[in-house]
Amino acid sequence: MPKGSNVPVPTAVLRIDVGWRAGAGVPDADASALLLVGGKVRSDADFVFYNQAAHASGAVRHEGKRTAGGRVTDTLTVDLTRVEPAVETVVLAASADGGTFGQVPDLAVEVRESGQDAVVARFDSTGATVETAFVLGEFYRRQGAWKFRAVGQGYDRGLEGLATDFGITVDEPQQQAAPPPPARPQSAAPTRSLTPPPPARSLTPPPPTGSVTPPQPGRSLTPPQPAVPPAPAASARPVSLSKVTLTKSAPTVSLSKQGGTSGALRVNLNWEVRKQFKGWGGKLGRAVALHNDLDLDLCALFELSDGTKGVVQSLGNAYGALDRPPFIHLDGDDRTGAVSGGENLTVNLDFQQYLRRILVFVTIYEGARSFADLHATVTLTPQFGAPIDFSLDECTVPSTVCALALISSDGGDLVVRREARYLVPERGVSPQRTVDHAYGWGMNWTPGRK
């Protein structure tokens, strides 16, 4: 599409891919969307981006990045059937992180109907120089139908300039202060001093469920009495544009330095399968299938500060808990990936003194023999502090388990490390046992179902 032109689009769920060619010296970029009434947002909640991934109406979601074939793509989902009647325009934008769009080759936005490969609209943005943000296109209503217009308007003030032009109130980085640590309950044991609880509080899962038995039964924690604080209601605080992206060259970040050592830490995995495969075969062992009923399971191995170990996973209904050991909870079992937001796991950082290390990993429960052609993004969002994200590398081995991130307590500092490590189980060895052996957890495993 040439700049300024428009084309009708179906009133349906649309996938918007903002993509560019990867390479040395190419800055990262981020897709975002703004829902406008009279040319402005109604509130900061109408801004959807990496720090605010979903609109309250469910009409717009930021799905995250993937890399494939030398190209990086950041994806948004726009459900035009759910856009509120008052909203006249949905703006699609991109911002450069660590450079200008003059350094970003082959920047383009593509619109597809969800689940379809055919491109409904495509706009290639060319001629960029010093711009650090672009409005690439917009959906707008015309006589009861929706159209897409190629815009191509640049800004040299980055995402902040773009956001403020549409009425967003942006928080300045120096205004973000780490919240004070929560007051310790009087009944809690001193830091690092753990008292064995009554038998009902034991972390040892019942053998019939198929979950794991810790190697040292009976060693567990006395859970502090207060319940987990409820998630804060939406506030009038300005939107924060801060974020952290982990890479191979910069794989770690300190939660402590980010001010993210209390409240809930949400870990999200979402994915998109672009092709259909059926296993591994051929002389080169190339991937040849992923079934339609792909079922991935987000899991976490944990080790508490007294040496107690265990797992949080859907197998054996070992979903964990937030107000008692292991202070980790798996929300549920999702089978669709990016379509419904993926799988989520929450860590209660108000009890971080009891946490020694947590390894977040993902297994293929059914529907595929490897992670080949699975484009996944991991996002860790602390209640306080900047979100942390990274994409998984392309899988080139017959792997059914991938270590995602390691959260560890290091001298009072809470550190997140990007793992993105595909593991290949030996014949007859489960994915859980494989990741246990790779990271030296040393637990006993029994078969499990869900």
Side-chain angles (χ1 to χ4, degrees):
M1 296 177 61
K3 182 176 178 178
S5 63
N6 62 73
V7 64
V9 294
T11 303
V13 181
L14 303 176
R15 190 180 82 236
I16 295 88
D17 290 332
V18 177
W20 60 95
R21 180 159 45 87
V26 176
D28 193 20
D30 298 291
S32 57
L34 302 102
L35 291 81
L36 307 183
V37 176
K40 296 285 186 179
V41 298
R42 295 164 295 181
S43 72
D44 293 350
D46 284 340
F47 185 29
V48 177
F49 68 121
Y50 50 78
N51 269 9
Q52 194 163 267
H55 192 260
S57 67
V60 183
R61 286 191 60 88
H62 178 255
E63 306 292 1
K65 291 190 180 74
R66 65 182 185 276
T67 302
R71 192 166 177 82
V72 183
T73 304
D74 200 6
T75 298
L76 297 161
T77 299
V78 177
D79 186 349
L80 294 177
T81 67
R82 300 179 69 173
V83 175
E84 299 149 296
V87 174
E88 304 153 351
T89 309
V90 179
V91 168
L92 308 174
S95 55
D97 185 6
T100 69
F101 276 109
Q103 302 167 278
V104 179
D106 300 340
L107 177 67
V109 56
E110 291 184 338
V111 179
R112 291 179 175 84
E113 194 167 351
S114 182
Q116 305 296 320
D117 288 331
V119 176
V120 176
R122 177 185 170 102
F123 171 57
D124 292 272
S125 181
T126 59
T129 55
V130 298
E131 295 87 354
T132 49
F134 260 101
V135 173
L136 297 172
E138 63 183 16
F139 296 111
Y140 65 98
R141 297 183 197 262
R142 179 61 56 88
Q143 296 179 346
W146 285 95
K147 290 188 174 184
F148 173 79
R149 177 186 289 120
V151 178
Q153 176 185 349
Y155 294 76
D156 61 5
R157 293 178 292 129
L159 185 60
E160 180 178 355
L162 182 149
T164 53
D165 270 8
F166 287 104
I168 302 293
T169 305
V170 176
D171 191 11
E172 297 294 334
Q174 62 268 26
Q175 294 175 351
Q176 297 181 22
R184 288 185 57 81
Q186 294 299 314
S187 59
T191 303
R192 306 291 183 186
S193 177
L194 305 173
T195 306
R201 297 292 190 180
S202 172
L203 292 180
T204 305
T209 65
S211 50
V212 303
T213 302
Q216 297 176 334
R219 299 190 63 198
S220 50
L221 304 175
T222 299
Q225 296 306 312
V228 182
S235 68
R237 291 193 307 173
V239 169
S240 170
L241 303 182
S242 300
K243 72 164 187 171
V244 177
T245 298
L246 301 182
T247 62
K248 285 183 178 179
S249 58
T252 63
V253 63
S254 166
L255 283 175
S256 303
K257 293 178 181 178
Q258 295 290 324
T261 56
S262 63
L265 171 67
R266 180 174 176 265
V267 183
N268 169 263
L269 171 72
N270 66 37
W271 62 89
E272 179 185 359
V273 178
R274 296 295 302 277
K275 297 177 183 177
Q276 301 302 311
F277 291 86
K278 275 187 186 178
W280 286 76
K283 293 182 180 179
L284 299 180
R286 300 290 292 178
V288 292
L290 270 177
H291 300 296
N292 290 325
D293 58 350
L294 176 65
D295 183 8
L296 301 184
D297 286 340
L298 189 64
C299 314
L301 290 173
F302 63 83
E303 181 179 4
L304 303 181
S305 55
D306 71 338
T308 301
K309 299 175 182 179
V311 67
V312 173
Q313 61 179 6
S314 57
L315 283 176
N317 296 318
Y319 287 97
L322 290 176
D323 60 347
R324 59 186 184 275
F327 312 114
I328 306 166
H329 182 257
L330 179 65
D331 290 2
D333 185 23
D334 177 53
R335 291 172 177 252
T336 56
V339 175
S340 63
E343 296 218 340
N344 300 285
L345 182 146
T346 305
V347 181
N348 189 352
L349 296 182
D350 287 340
F351 301 99
Q352 63 161 303
Q353 68 269 29
Y354 296 130
L355 303 173
R356 180 173 293 169
R357 57 176 179 158
I358 302 168
L359 179 68
V360 182
F361 65 99
V362 59
T363 69
I364 297 176
Y365 182 71
E366 64 182 7
R369 297 183 184 177
S370 81
F371 287 107
D373 211 57
L374 176 76
H375 305 291
T377 302
V378 181
T379 306
L380 298 92
T381 307
Q383 188 170 325
F384 306 100
I388 302 158
D389 67 10
F390 60 89
S391 297
L392 295 186
D393 300 322
E394 192 168 343
C395 180
T396 58
V397 294
S399 169
T400 55
V401 58
C402 180
L404 301 177
L406 182 65
I407 305 168
S408 58
S409 180
D410 183 9
D413 191 8
L414 208 56
V415 176
V416 174
R417 178 181 178 85
R418 174 189 187 269
E419 295 295 317
R421 180 182 175 188
Y422 293 107
L423 301 171
V424 181
E426 297 180 3
R427 180 181 293 274
V429 178
S430 68
Q432 288 86 349
R433 190 185 297 271
T434 299
V435 74
D436 178 315
H437 178 74
Y439 286 85
W441 236 263
M443 297 198 304
N444 300 318
W445 295 88
T446 56
R449 293 183 179 180
K450 62 176 180 176

